[in-house]
Amino acid sequence: MGSITTRKRKDGSHSYRARVRVMREGTVYHETKTFDRRPAATTWIKKREKELAKPGALEGLNVSDPPLSKAIERYTEEAVKEIGRTKAQVLRTIATYPIADLPCSTIKSKDIIEFLQSLPGQPQTVGNYASHLASIFAIARPMWDFRLDDREMRDAITVARRMGIISRSAQRNRRPTLDELDRLLAHFIDRRQRTPQAMPMHKVIVFALFSTRRQAEITRLTWDDFQKEHKRVLVRDMKHPGEKLGNDTWVDLPEEAIRIIDSMPGHQGEIFPYSPDAITANFTRACKLLGIEDLHFHDLRHEGISRLFEMGWNIPHIAAVSGHRSWVSLKRYTHIRETGDKYANWPGLQLAIGNA
């Protein structure tokens, strides 16, 4: 028996998840697939039901012990919370490796370690693959009765970490200098004057610095969620290790960030109606052109939080701006010994406000 579930995407469009459910001699088989159009989903259901009705069809699918690829497919199709783009890409990549063809019950820690060793990239990158694969192992048996052994996954991660195959991402401590920021602003203001339709990156940079917001969060801020009188804004779907969606958080806005918002035109629903990828690409290209080495857009958040510590703000006050739920997460900034606000009377703020 087939069914179709409609889901609304972030961009306002809809997807249609078709689900086929077949029960035969006490065995239940589920299969799902997502489509952009409802008629295509309906056609697929009819086709799969006809195929699965043939003698021996279910036996051929090895329902009782499917391959890892089937667990990955079920996870990506049925996750109630929308998984992030990076995680979805990682899982699609895992599905192309030989380990994905192994029956779930046969996968041992040795197989997982061999898979991790075959991956390109640094241990931090491989660690991300291990983390996302572990999420499949954690739910496959209790949710779908797929015989993936979570203990094998945990053993593999323990070995991989001790052998240096995987590791956590190193913390960055890169902070921009005033000279680097001045050069970036001059570059983007000049570009904006020559090409008025270009993104006002000078405003985005200065807002990121003073608000401590990530680029994706900046692009989701709306005028409706901005409360100037209370000096705060609602950040929707704020990044959090355990919650990708629905983690909406009110954060305080320093006066400088509010002044940047006031300088925006307000013609659209979003305050900064741009894409995170475009912001990153513009920033990276400008740094390369200007000879600024090893500076990422996200480093502006580090700089903004460090600035608040240097100004003598206490941890609860800073957390109200940065959005950190755990004050422990702010420990990495407490080593700062400088005092005062090096951005006091900084011409860059006025330049960003004064240039459209």
XYZ file of all heavy atoms in Angstrom, residues 132-185:
449
model
N 28.995 11.074 10.881
C 27.734 10.966 10.153
C 27.332 9.504 9.933
O 26.145 9.162 9.988
C 27.836 11.695 8.810
C 28.026 13.180 8.955
N 27.388 13.905 9.928
C 28.780 14.064 8.241
C 27.742 15.185 9.821
N 28.584 15.296 8.812
N 28.313 8.646 9.711
C 28.007 7.222 9.559
C 27.508 6.649 10.886
O 26.598 5.802 10.906
C 29.252 6.468 9.094
C 29.091 4.956 8.869
C 28.006 4.660 7.843
C 30.426 4.344 8.430
N 28.060 7.117 11.989
C 27.645 6.630 13.307
C 26.169 6.917 13.569
O 25.495 6.150 14.273
C 28.509 7.268 14.391
N 25.657 8.013 13.010
C 24.246 8.335 13.219
C 23.345 7.297 12.564
O 22.234 7.045 13.047
C 23.932 9.731 12.664
O 24.127 9.782 11.255
N 23.811 6.657 11.493
C 23.050 5.578 10.845
C 23.051 4.345 11.738
O 22.010 3.724 11.980
C 23.652 5.225 9.465
C 23.772 6.474 8.580
C 22.841 4.136 8.783
C 22.466 7.048 8.149
N 24.219 3.993 12.248
C 24.343 2.817 13.113
C 23.505 2.968 14.383
O 22.989 1.984 14.914
C 25.807 2.592 13.488
C 26.575 1.792 12.475
C 26.960 2.363 11.269
C 26.904 0.469 12.712
C 27.670 1.632 10.320
C 27.617 -0.276 11.777
C 27.990 0.307 10.568
N 23.380 4.185 14.876
C 22.688 4.401 16.146
C 21.199 4.105 16.073
O 20.594 3.697 17.075
C 22.910 5.841 16.616
N 20.586 4.290 14.894
C 19.130 4.144 14.831
C 18.644 3.004 13.950
O 17.466 2.642 14.007
C 18.475 5.453 14.338
C 18.793 5.682 12.855
C 18.896 6.635 15.183
C 17.966 6.777 12.236
N 19.509 2.414 13.121
C 19.055 1.432 12.128
C 18.386 0.212 12.753
O 17.347 -0.252 12.263
C 20.226 0.995 11.251
N 18.954 -0.332 13.824
C 18.359 -1.529 14.437
C 17.067 -1.221 15.187
O 16.035 -1.852 14.925
C 19.373 -2.205 15.373
C 18.856 -3.523 15.958
C 19.764 -4.024 17.075
N 19.944 -3.043 18.127
C 19.031 -2.747 19.048
N 17.863 -3.383 19.046
N 19.276 -1.843 19.967
N 17.054 -0.228 16.107
C 15.800 0.020 16.830
C 14.680 0.587 15.968
O 13.504 0.382 16.267
C 16.210 1.015 17.926
C 17.459 1.655 17.415
C 18.155 0.606 16.609
N 15.022 1.276 14.878
C 13.981 1.918 14.081
C 13.468 1.034 12.947
O 12.268 0.984 12.685
C 14.498 3.248 13.520
C 13.430 4.066 12.819
S 13.983 5.759 12.527
C 12.476 6.476 11.853
N 14.383 0.328 12.269
C 13.977 -0.447 11.091
C 14.289 -1.936 11.215
O 14.052 -2.701 10.285
C 14.673 0.095 9.837
C 14.495 1.553 9.623
C 13.321 2.233 9.557
C 15.532 2.524 9.445
N 13.556 3.569 9.353
C 14.903 3.781 9.270
C 16.924 2.467 9.405
C 15.622 4.958 9.072
C 17.637 3.626 9.206
C 16.987 4.856 9.037
N 14.869 -2.331 12.324
C 15.279 -3.718 12.518
C 16.354 -4.142 11.528
O 16.469 -5.311 11.177
C 14.069 -4.668 12.435
C 14.365 -6.017 13.097
O 15.215 -6.047 14.014
O 13.771 -7.029 12.684
N 17.147 -3.181 11.063
C 18.317 -3.500 10.247
C 19.430 -3.897 11.209
O 19.667 -3.208 12.207
C 18.775 -2.290 9.426
C 17.849 -1.944 8.280
C 16.682 -2.651 8.049
C 18.166 -0.903 7.421
C 15.841 -2.325 6.994
C 17.334 -0.558 6.369
C 16.172 -1.271 6.154
N 20.129 -4.951 10.901
C 21.080 -5.520 11.861
C 22.467 -4.876 11.805
O 23.478 -5.540 11.645
C 21.155 -7.028 11.659
C 19.879 -7.733 12.115
C 20.011 -9.223 11.996
N 19.890 -9.684 10.614
C 20.171 -10.923 10.220
N 20.641 -11.803 11.079
N 20.008 -11.266 8.961
N 22.473 -3.559 11.963
C 23.728 -2.829 12.125
C 24.066 -2.811 13.614
O 23.225 -2.446 14.433
C 23.601 -1.400 11.598
C 23.671 -1.193 10.084
C 23.424 0.276 9.754
C 25.011 -1.640 9.530
N 25.280 -3.184 13.937
C 25.696 -3.271 15.336
C 26.384 -1.978 15.746
O 27.502 -1.674 15.307
C 26.644 -4.459 15.513
C 26.886 -4.793 16.981
O 26.684 -3.900 17.832
O 27.266 -5.944 17.267
N 25.718 -1.217 16.604
C 26.255 0.065 17.046
C 27.570 -0.100 17.805
O 28.423 0.788 17.801
C 25.218 0.774 17.919
C 25.579 2.227 18.177
O 26.190 2.849 17.295
O 25.243 2.742 19.257
N 27.763 -1.246 18.447
C 29.010 -1.488 19.178
C 30.192 -1.563 18.229
O 31.311 -1.130 18.558
C 28.902 -2.778 19.990
C 27.903 -2.706 21.152
C 27.719 -4.055 21.773
N 27.206 -5.032 20.806
C 26.954 -6.305 21.078
N 27.198 -6.763 22.296
N 26.484 -7.120 20.147
N 29.969 -2.135 17.040
C 31.054 -2.212 16.050
C 31.469 -0.814 15.614
O 32.660 -0.538 15.419
C 30.588 -3.029 14.834
C 30.236 -4.475 15.133
C 31.459 -5.324 15.453
O 32.590 -4.884 15.162
O 31.279 -6.429 16.005
N 30.482 0.076 15.483
C 30.784 1.454 15.090
C 31.565 2.160 16.191
O 32.553 2.858 15.917
C 29.469 2.199 14.817
C 29.648 3.604 14.265
S 30.173 3.621 12.544
C 31.547 4.770 12.620
N 31.139 1.971 17.437
C 31.843 2.623 18.543
C 33.266 2.101 18.670
O 34.202 2.873 18.924
C 31.074 2.409 19.850
C 29.718 3.114 19.901
C 29.211 3.216 21.336
N 29.043 1.913 21.960
C 27.919 1.198 21.936
N 26.865 1.672 21.291
N 27.837 0.025 22.543
N 33.441 0.797 18.488
C 34.801 0.220 18.548
C 35.671 0.788 17.435
O 36.860 1.086 17.647
C 34.733 -1.306 18.428
C 34.181 -1.977 19.675
O 34.098 -1.294 20.719
O 33.821 -3.165 19.598
N 35.081 0.933 16.247
C 35.849 1.448 15.111
C 36.301 2.883 15.357
O 37.445 3.254 15.053
C 35.005 1.366 13.836
N 35.418 3.696 15.932
C 35.775 5.091 16.219
C 36.872 5.163 17.273
O 37.808 5.971 17.160
C 34.522 5.870 16.660
C 33.597 6.081 15.467
C 34.914 7.204 17.281
C 32.310 6.807 15.795
N 36.794 4.317 18.276
C 37.831 4.296 19.305
C 39.194 3.967 18.708
O 40.194 4.650 18.978
C 37.491 3.254 20.395
O 36.255 3.622 21.024
C 38.590 3.178 21.442
N 39.230 2.928 17.872
C 40.488 2.535 17.237
C 40.984 3.623 16.293
O 42.170 3.984 16.300
C 40.313 1.203 16.477
C 41.561 0.884 15.663
C 40.012 0.065 17.446
N 40.071 4.156 15.478
C 40.461 5.166 14.486
C 41.015 6.417 15.154
O 41.972 7.030 14.662
C 39.257 5.509 13.613
N 40.451 6.780 16.291
C 40.941 7.968 16.996
C 42.328 7.719 17.592
O 43.215 8.575 17.503
C 39.931 8.363 18.082
C 40.287 9.667 18.786
C 39.162 10.141 19.692
N 38.025 10.596 18.904
C 36.766 10.191 19.071
N 36.480 9.295 19.996
N 35.795 10.677 18.338
N 42.513 6.547 18.181
C 43.811 6.244 18.800
C 44.909 6.047 17.755
O 46.076 6.313 18.030
C 43.684 4.997 19.672
C 42.824 5.223 20.902
C 42.804 4.024 21.828
N 42.014 4.275 23.031
C 41.837 3.410 24.008
N 42.422 2.208 23.932
N 41.102 3.721 25.052
N 44.526 5.605 16.558
C 45.503 5.393 15.492
C 45.729 6.643 14.642
O 46.520 6.629 13.710
C 45.050 4.241 14.593
C 44.961 2.887 15.311
S 46.537 2.345 15.998
C 47.455 2.022 14.496
N 45.018 7.712 14.969
C 45.197 8.960 14.231
C 44.492 8.996 12.891
O 44.755 9.896 12.088
N 43.594 8.048 12.647
C 42.856 8.030 11.376
C 41.831 9.160 11.358
O 41.571 9.775 10.324
C 42.158 6.670 11.172
C 43.206 5.552 11.142
C 41.325 6.658 9.896
C 42.605 4.157 11.182
N 41.235 9.430 12.528
C 40.291 10.522 12.654
C 40.715 11.417 13.809
O 41.434 10.990 14.716
C 38.841 10.030 12.900
C 38.742 9.295 14.238
C 38.379 9.137 11.762
C 37.335 8.892 14.607
N 40.255 12.662 13.762
C 40.510 13.588 14.867
C 39.487 14.702 14.795
O 38.825 14.894 13.776
C 41.930 14.172 14.785
O 42.056 15.008 13.648
N 39.360 15.407 15.892
C 38.450 16.547 15.913
C 39.094 17.714 15.183
O 40.316 17.836 15.098
C 38.130 16.947 17.359
C 37.315 15.904 18.105
C 36.921 16.434 19.479
N 36.048 15.493 20.185
C 36.469 14.503 20.945
N 37.779 14.331 21.112
N 35.626 13.701 21.554
N 38.240 18.596 14.670
C 38.741 19.768 13.961
C 39.516 20.669 14.924
O 39.101 20.878 16.073
C 37.577 20.558 13.351
O 36.901 19.783 12.396
N 40.637 21.159 14.450
C 41.450 22.054 15.279
C 40.767 23.422 15.401
O 40.155 23.904 14.453
C 42.832 22.213 14.658
N 40.878 24.022 16.577
C 40.305 25.345 16.782
C 41.167 26.392 16.099
O 42.390 26.381 16.201
C 40.204 25.652 18.276
C 39.155 24.840 19.003
C 39.015 25.268 20.447
O 39.908 25.892 21.012
N 37.890 24.933 21.050
N 40.493 27.317 15.399
C 41.203 28.407 14.748
C 41.309 29.585 15.697
O 40.383 29.872 16.463
C 40.466 28.855 13.479
C 40.636 27.915 12.313
C 39.853 28.437 11.107
N 40.282 29.758 10.678
C 41.323 30.007 9.891
N 42.065 29.003 9.448
N 41.632 31.240 9.533
N 42.438 30.254 15.621
C 42.636 31.442 16.436
C 42.990 32.658 15.583
O 43.459 33.669 16.094
C 43.749 31.205 17.474
C 43.333 30.194 18.527
O 42.274 30.336 19.130
N 44.144 29.176 18.730
N 42.760 32.542 14.266
C 43.085 33.633 13.355
C 42.109 34.787 13.557
O 40.902 34.607 13.579
C 43.011 33.118 11.909
C 43.207 34.175 10.818
C 44.638 34.670 10.765
N 44.960 35.226 9.457
C 44.860 36.513 9.148
N 44.437 37.387 10.060
N 45.181 36.936 7.940
N 42.661 35.973 13.707
C 41.845 37.176 13.837
C 42.310 38.206 12.820
O 43.516 38.353 12.586
C 41.958 37.746 15.256
C 41.403 36.844 16.336
C 41.619 37.424 17.731
N 40.967 38.715 17.894
C 41.021 39.434 19.020
N 41.725 38.981 20.061
N 40.403 40.599 19.115
N 41.394 38.929 12.204
C 41.809 39.943 11.227
C 42.423 41.151 11.927
O 42.060 41.485 13.059
C 40.488 40.323 10.548
C 39.448 40.088 11.603
C 39.924 38.878 12.369
N 43.334 41.783 11.242
C 43.900 43.035 11.752
C 43.047 44.190 11.231
O 42.286 44.047 10.267
C 45.348 43.219 11.289
O 45.358 43.359 9.861
C 46.204 42.014 11.694
N 43.195 45.342 11.855
C 42.477 46.523 11.379
C 42.886 46.870 9.954
O 42.057 47.287 9.140
C 42.732 47.710 12.312
C 41.935 47.728 13.623
C 42.421 48.870 14.516
C 40.449 47.865 13.349
N 44.162 46.692 9.641
C 44.629 46.982 8.287
C 43.966 46.060 7.273
O 43.549 46.510 6.197
C 46.158 46.821 8.217
C 46.686 47.000 6.803
O 46.609 48.130 6.285
O 47.133 45.995 6.204
N 43.845 44.783 7.606
C 43.199 43.842 6.688
C 41.733 44.194 6.486
O 41.217 44.153 5.365
C 43.339 42.417 7.227
C 44.751 41.866 7.145
C 44.919 40.542 7.871
O 44.123 40.261 8.799
O 45.842 39.783 7.510
N 41.064 44.556 7.563
C 39.654 44.935 7.447
C 39.500 46.217 6.631
O 38.586 46.320 5.788
C 39.046 45.115 8.837
C 38.846 43.827 9.647
C 38.435 44.156 11.077
C 37.800 42.924 8.991
N 40.375 47.175 6.838
C 40.311 48.428 6.072
C 40.492 48.149 4.579
O 39.790 48.738 3.740
C 41.381 49.405 6.553
C 41.052 50.011 7.918
O 39.858 50.004 8.284
O 41.986 50.476 8.598
N 41.413 47.266 4.241
C 41.647 46.935 2.828
C 40.461 46.213 2.220
O 40.085 46.475 1.077
C 42.910 46.082 2.701
C 44.194 46.883 2.960
C 45.343 45.992 3.360
N 45.634 44.993 2.334
C 46.370 43.911 2.543
N 46.845 43.674 3.764
N 46.616 43.067 1.559
N 39.847 45.316 3.002
C 38.665 44.610 2.504
C 37.508 45.574 2.271
O 36.829 45.522 1.232
C 38.248 43.525 3.495
C 39.079 42.241 3.488
C 38.787 41.406 4.725
C 38.800 41.416 2.219
N 37.271 46.462 3.219
C 36.171 47.415 3.070
C 36.409 48.347 1.885
O 35.484 48.634 1.106
C 36.000 48.228 4.353
C 35.570 47.467 5.611
C 35.234 48.433 6.732
C 34.386 46.569 5.338
